[in-house]
Structure formats: structure tokens, C-alpha cells
């Protein structure tokens, strides 16, 4: 007869195997709670993160990305994850007021996303990398960078000629995000044609009607920033 304190030993590898199965089932269950539109948007943000990381624009765990869903909720990257290594579990769901809808923790800068979505009802995506060019631009040009007479300006939505002038404002960095968001709002009140803005020593925010369009804006703007930095170096 066995004693009541008889121990059954399970090999370590079997224990790891069972834990992996339980974890996979939990992740599958969690993903089933999200809509198909959320999962599609999340995958687009993951793919965008891979591309942006390949350019070196999101070092360490910097940056945050989002996409607005048809019901007005927003898929957005969680806080503290490397944007070139995102997985589905690293994308969360928030409402239009930046409140978490799934218990995950959003970035402190989430209100900068939600304020833009409220202002521009047609935009469906916002990308915020910490690129070297945007950071250097903010050190040199201080309050704004003016881009004009570049053919690549036509990559920005609605621009059809190189004979265009685009102003990208530069705002001082601020750890008080609501205050920073209000400063951006005040600027946009009188500059509705803005395509992007830079937070000094920090990074770029740009937006579009889709993740793909926003990526196009981002790539074009970074190229144009590089042009201006090189021109500045030649002149000085």
C-alpha cells in the first residue's frame, strides 16, 4: 500500500512540454477574443515594425504604432517592446480616449495618437519612430523644418507637384504628455494641412489613411530630412 505522501516525479522535459501547450492554448484563447479586423490591423503594425526596424528607426524599445479600426477603437503597440520584434500579443486594444480595453499597458504617449484621431476623422494609422534624421533635424532647425521643391514631396497625400512647400513643426520634448498634446493641438488649429511633427531630441509622428500610406509618408520624410541635413552640412 502506498503512503499518502508518495510523490510522482515527472521528467523535466515533459513538464516544459506541458507548460508550452498550456501557454499556446492561452495565447490562442486570448487571440480568439479579438475581432478579425483587430488581428488584421495588428499584423499590419507588426509588418510595419519589421520594416521600420530594418531602417534603424526604432532603436531599443523606442517608438509606438497604431491603427484605427472601423468601430472607432484603436490597435496600438504596448509599452516597452522592441518594435522590430513585435508579436500579436504586443498589440493591444484601446478606446478613443486611450483607455485599455484588454488589460494591457499602453505607451505613455498614447494620448498623442488619440488626439490626432479625434482631429482627423479620415486618418487610420499613426507611426512614431525615433529616427536619427528626425532627431538631428530637431537639434539644428529648432522650431520647424521647411521642405520645398523636392520631387519626393509627391509621396505625401494630395501633393501632385514638386513645386510645393511642406512645413514640419518641431515641439520641445515634455514628459507631461497631456501638456505636449495640447501644444500640438494648438498648432494644428491653424495648420490643418500638417503631415507630421517632430518632438525635439525624440522622434517623428506622421499619419495617413492606412498603415501603407503612413509608411510611405514616413519613408519620404526621412529621405527629405536626410537631404536637408546634408545641404545644411554643405552650407556650413
Amino acid at each position: 500500500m502506498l503512503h499518502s505522501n508518495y510523490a510522482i516525479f515527472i521528467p523535466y522535459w515533459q513538464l516544459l512540454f506541458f507548460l508550452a501547450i498550456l501557454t499556446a492554448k492561452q495565447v490562442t484563447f486570448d487571440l480568439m477574443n479579438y475581432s478579425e479586423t483587430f488581428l488584421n490591423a495588428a499584423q499590419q503594425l507588426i509588418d510595419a515594425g519589421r520594416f521600420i526596424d530594418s531602417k534603424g528607426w526604432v532603436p531599443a524599445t523606442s517608438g509606438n504604432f497604431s491603427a484605427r479600426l472601423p468601430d472607432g477603437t484603436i490597435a496600438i503597440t504596448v509599452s516597452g517592446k522592441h518594435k522590430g520584434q513585435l508579436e500579436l500579443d504586443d498589440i493591444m486594444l484601446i478606446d478613443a480616449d486611450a483607455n485599455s480595453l484588454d488589460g494591457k499597458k499602453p505607451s505613455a504617449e498614447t494620448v498623442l495618437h488619440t488626439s490626432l484621431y479625434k482631429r482627423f476623422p479620415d486618418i487610420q494609422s499613426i507611426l512614431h519612430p525615433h529616427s536619427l534624421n528626425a532627431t538631428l533635424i530637431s537639434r539644428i532647425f529648432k522650431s520647424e523644418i521647411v521642405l520645398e521643391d523636392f520631387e519626393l514631396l509627391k509621396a505625401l497625400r494630395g501633393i501632385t507637384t514638386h513645386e510645393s512647400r511642406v512645413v514640419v513643426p518641431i515641439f520641445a520634448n515634455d514628459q507631461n504628455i497631456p501638456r505636449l498634446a495640447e501644444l500640438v493641438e494648438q498648432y494644428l488649429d491653424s495648420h490643418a494641412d500638417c503631415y507630421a511633427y517632430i518632438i525635439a531630441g525624440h522622434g517623428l509622428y506622421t499619419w495617413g489613411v492606412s498603415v501603407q500610406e503612413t509608411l510611405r509618408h514616413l519613408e519620404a520624410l526621412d529621405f527629405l530630412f536626410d537631404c536637408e541635413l546634408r545641404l545644411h552640412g554643405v552650407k556650413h
Side-chain angles (χ1 to χ4, degrees), residues 17-129:
F17 179 72
F18 291 141
L19 288 174
I21 292 176
L22 290 173
T23 300
K25 287 184 176 180
Q26 182 62 45
V27 170
T28 301
F29 176 77
D30 290 341
L31 292 178
M32 287 175 62
N33 291 331
Y34 291 114
S35 68
E36 183 177 351
T37 54
F38 170 87
L39 295 176
N40 288 337
Q43 189 58 55
Q44 290 182 55
L45 295 178
I46 290 170
D47 293 342
R50 301 277 197 273
F51 174 79
I52 293 170
D53 179 52
S54 74
K55 298 289 188 179
W57 296 339
V58 279
T61 59
S62 64
N64 40 73
F65 315 142
S66 69
R68 177 158 49 185
L69 307 183
D71 64 0
T73 59
I74 299 164
I76 190 168
T77 48
V78 300
S79 177
K81 295 292 185 176
H82 193 292
K83 304 310 177 295
Q85 302 169 13
L86 293 172
E87 299 179 358
L88 281 173
D89 196 47
D90 300 325
I91 312 297
M92 66 177 295
L93 188 67
I94 62 172
D95 66 16
D97 295 314
N99 299 306
S100 174
L101 297 176
D102 55 13
K104 297 178 184 178
K105 181 184 177 183
S107 163
E109 297 173 30
T110 299
V111 68
L112 295 174
H113 290 249
T114 55
S115 62
L116 285 170
Y117 285 125
K118 289 177 181 179
R119 173 172 290 274
F120 301 119
D122 60 328
I123 70 170
Q124 304 302 323
S125 178
I126 298 167
L127 298 175
H128 167 51

Side-chain angles (χ1 to χ4, degrees), residues 137 141 143-170 187-188 191-198 204-207 217-218 220-222 224-225 228:
I137 284 286
F141 293 93
S143 63
E144 65 180 27
I145 174 70
V146 178
L147 307 170
E148 53 187 338
D149 296 327
F150 287 108
E151 180 70 13
L152 201 58
L153 285 171
K154 290 159 61 177
L156 303 179
R157 185 186 185 202
I159 294 182
T160 59
T161 173
H162 70 280
E163 296 177 323
S164 300
R165 185 176 189 269
V166 170
V167 177
V168 178
I170 302 169
Y187 178 89
L188 294 177
H191 300 83
D193 58 346
C194 186
Y195 286 91
Y197 66 82
I198 295 173
L204 172 76
Y205 271 84
T206 189
W207 47 89
H217 288 178
L218 175 57
L221 287 168
D222 195 79
L224 296 173
F225 292 163
E228 289 294 337

